[in-house]
Amino acid sequence: MALTCRLVLLLGAATLPLLLCLTAEAREVGVNYGRVANDLPDPAAVVQLLRENGITMVRIYDTNDAVLRSFANTGIKLMVMLPNENLADAARSPSYAADWARRSVAAYLPATRIHAVSVGNEVFDSRPDLTPLLVPAMTNVQAALAQLGLADAIKVSTPLSFAAVTDSFPPSRGRFRDDIAQPVMRPMLEFLKRTGSYLTINLYPYFAYAAQPDKISRDYFLGNPNPGVLDQDTGLMYYSLLDAQRDATFAAMDKLGFTSLQAFQGETGSASAGRPKPGSPHKPHAPWELAVGDGDGVDPPAASKANAQAYNNNVINRVLSGRTGTPLRPDADMDVYIFALFNENGKGSGPDDIEANFGLFYPNMQKVYEFDFSGGGSPPPAPAAESWCVANASVGDSWLQAALEYACGHGADCGAIQPGAVCFEPDTRLAHASYAFNSYYQRNGRANGTCDFNGAAYIVYQEPAGTCDPNASWCVANAAVGDKRLLDGLSYACANGADCSAIQPGAPCFEPNTMVAHASYAFNSYYQRNHRASGTCDFAGAASVVYQAPSEFTLSSTETACSHQRLRLKKR
Ligand SMILES: *[C@@H]1O[C@H](CO)[C@@H](O)[C@H](O)[C@H]1NC(C)=O
Ligand SMILES: *[C@@H]1O[C@H](CO)[C@@H](O)[C@H](O)[C@H]1NC(C)=O
Ligand SMILES: *[C@@H]1O[C@H](CO)[C@@H](O)[C@H](O)[C@H]1NC(C)=O
């Protein structure tokens, strides 16, 4: 289904089928079933394990007969591979490609649900000598599948490593390496577009973080809420290193004129143990000069169960929630294979090599850590509960009046609802009672039992429309100080109690995704949570207090809408 959608997108079909397709599409997370090990369970047991864990999509690194047969009649979707060793033959000989497609793919259909073929794997890095043969091999394999009537059912791609992209930070500067951009990537992208396929890239934020844990925030690597990183060229904020890498890839595609092609994520993952070995093949090429580090110097090692669990569950949850857009491509899809199904003892140089520790499962089929392919693993933190106390009209006027007098006589601030004062309008008993009850409730720190008034009041968790605040003030960012100082302030606010969850991707105040909008949001949250205490809206001069709703600021209209609505929520 996902592939059909891409096909429609790429062929530029009419709007209606495209929309139908998008709404019908479910994103999917799979696993890489690598077998570079001598202690793995047999394929039939693996199929059972996958089913028990709700895993419906698998990538393998060959077309092993026993594996392909084990997946028959399971409904599990498979991406198979023509290995690098066979790539030269497939490039030079259409009849070799045809024979391979018949024997290794078509022979297993339809019982085994092969939906994609990767031609080689990270060829530029692992077999640079084959680089000129890559697109010819893809072309021959695709033509062979088309001959068999499988052009729509099975897409051909080739997983690249992220080393194909250079200048990857800021993301908008991403481009393909000079030696491959014109000779290989341009014809490859043309091929992918022509055949309704997609670029496949293996992204490992883990390696970038492991190389520079002092420069890259751990939460940014993991996809946890964090203050974000600015692309100073576009003004877009990034909250996940994975998205920054995805956008660097999109930017590289854009530079070759392929602005509508999808980038499919081949694989991603994070090590749960092990020491990195120098010269690891996944070592990032690009310098990651990012602006934020956690800065406490006590970060746990990059390869840890906690990190792998958080990273992979965040990826899974993100894909399943459909929040797969990136700052540069808000509509981008993301299907992904988690690397890898098992810890593989034949990878790397020994059991303490991180390469041998990417598995979700140990070879004995025990989980290395908790994860959930239905999206239930480590849910994102709930926003801080805020609440308001409102009057219940149905208890009747006399009851309300008695309760109102009680509240005003026991510490509620009722000055503002006196005739002529700022919250006198609307002059109804219900509005005045709500004002007084809420004042009492807030002044008592929203303690249990302080919003009751014998049943005349109840608690709500959304700010009621028209709530009057006599002393409203807001803290807003000053764009003129520049992004560096805004980011410093933003990082400080988010690390010191501001609610920054609403400005994470997919959250209500993510758009507009600009530094000044996000800084205003965070500054104001910090200010309100500190009860507008003096000195809590400064951020080294990056912020100032305003007494009118910030609609008059140099904020765009959407920004105003979010700021306005959300800033009001933060009052008191
Ligand atoms: C409002 O009061 C009525 C009458 O006492 C009661 O039935 C109702 O549950 C109350 N509503 C809320 C939201 O508490
Ligand atoms: C308020 O009451 C609820 C349930 O009655 C309880 O779970 C909660 O801990 C209480 N909160 C406080 C601050 O006492
Ligand atoms: C408004 O400000 C005054 C003076 O600082 C204070 O006494 C009053 O409690 C404030 N009211 C609210 C609702 O914050």
Side-chain angles (χ1 to χ4, degrees), residues 60-71:
I60 61 174
Y61 293 86
D62 52 21
T63 51
N64 178 279
D65 180 67
V67 173
L68 289 181
R69 285 184 193 284
S70 297
F71 280 85

Side-chain angles (χ1 to χ4, degrees), residues 413 435 443 469-471 532 572:
D413 167 26
Y435 182 92
R443 286 187 163 194
D469 184 342
N471 305 336
R532 303 179 192 145
R572 307 200 52 119

Side-chain angles (χ1 to χ4, degrees), residues 108-128:
Y108 297 93
L109 304 176
T112 299
R113 203 170 153 199
I114 297 172
H115 74 136
V117 168
S118 81
V119 170
N121 187 43
E122 303 198 349
V123 167
F124 306 148
D125 313 87
S126 35
R127 286 293 303 274

Side-chain angles (χ1 to χ4, degrees), residues 392-395 399 455-459:
N392 181 352
S394 50
V395 301
W399 194 338
Y458 59 96
I459 294 168

Side-chain angles (χ1 to χ4, degrees), residues 11 34 81 94 110 133 145 190 206 222 239 298 317 332 341 386 412 427 434 441 449 463 467 473 502 513 543 545:
L11 294 181
M81 185 167 103
L133 298 177
L145 291 168
E190 268 157 13
Y206 165 82
L222 295 176
Y239 291 89
V298 294
N317 290 343
L341 184 55
E386 299 208 39
D427 177 20
S434 280
Y441 176 64
E463 185 180 39
T467 301
S473 65
N513 179 14
V545 174

Side-chain angles (χ1 to χ4, degrees), residues 153-219:
I154 303 183
K155 294 300 167 189
V156 171
S157 191
T158 186
L160 309 178
S161 89
F162 190 53
V165 176
T166 188
D167 281 349
S168 54
F169 195 84
S172 56
R173 289 189 200 165
R175 58 190 175 85
F176 291 111
R177 259 167 36 202
D178 288 339
D179 59 317
I180 55 168
Q182 294 298 337
V184 187
M185 292 314 300
R186 179 178 292 284
M188 186 192 296
L189 293 168
E190 268 157 13
F191 163 84
L192 297 172
K193 186 170 179 178
R194 177 171 63 74
T195 60
S197 189
Y198 35 82
L199 187 76
T200 305
I201 189 148
N202 299 337
L203 298 177
Y204 284 90
Y206 165 82
F207 287 104
Y209 175 73
Q212 296 191 283
D214 51 330
K215 294 238 174 63
I216 297 177
S217 145
R218 179 168 166 270
D219 286 328

